[in-house]
Amino acid sequence: MFVSDYTSVTNSFSLLHEAATQLGSVVTQKFDEAVRAEDLASVERFFKIFPLLGMQNEGLVKFSLYLCSKVMLVMRNPFYHSYIPPIFD
């Protein structure tokens, strides 16, 4: 009886781990799609899911790269450099 219980629990953990891995792949794919589509709401939504799957480092790296790309776009814009608001009045 204990052997069959152990096997059942082991199989359940294996299935759970496999499902978590697949879910992580889906979240990563959907995050990348949201970035390409420039869908900020979806980017934020999928970013929040990474830590729930134990993928906080991957989520932080992906979100940081996304933010850096947005900052680079702003900095490359010539109109940004033509008007820099005064720091002190």
Side-chain angles (χ1 to χ4, degrees):
M1 177 155 173
F2 291 117
V3 174
S4 68
D5 288 344
Y6 175 77
T7 304
S8 177
V9 169
T10 303
N11 288 341
S12 296
F13 277 125
S14 177
L15 286 172
L16 186 60
H17 180 70
E18 185 178 318
T21 301
Q22 290 176 355
L23 185 57
S25 296
V26 169
V27 169
T28 299
Q29 177 186 359
K30 293 295 185 180
F31 180 90
D32 292 342
E33 288 174 8
V35 167
R36 281 192 297 276
E38 297 187 25
D39 181 357
L40 179 58
S42 292
V43 168
E44 290 177 358
R45 183 179 323 113
F46 289 113
F47 171 66
K48 292 175 185 177
I49 295 174
F50 281 108
L52 300 174
L53 298 174
M55 301 172 64
Q56 55 273 9
N57 290 339
E58 182 174 348
L60 285 172
V61 167
K62 287 186 156 299
F63 193 69
S64 297
L65 290 172
Y66 168 73
L67 290 178
C68 287
S69 70
K70 291 299 180 188
V71 169
M72 282 190 338
L73 285 175
V74 169
M75 296 307 293
R76 288 183 179 168
N77 185 341
F79 296 112
Y80 174 80
H81 297 289
S82 65
Y83 174 76
I84 299 176
I87 298 174
F88 303 104
D89 286 334

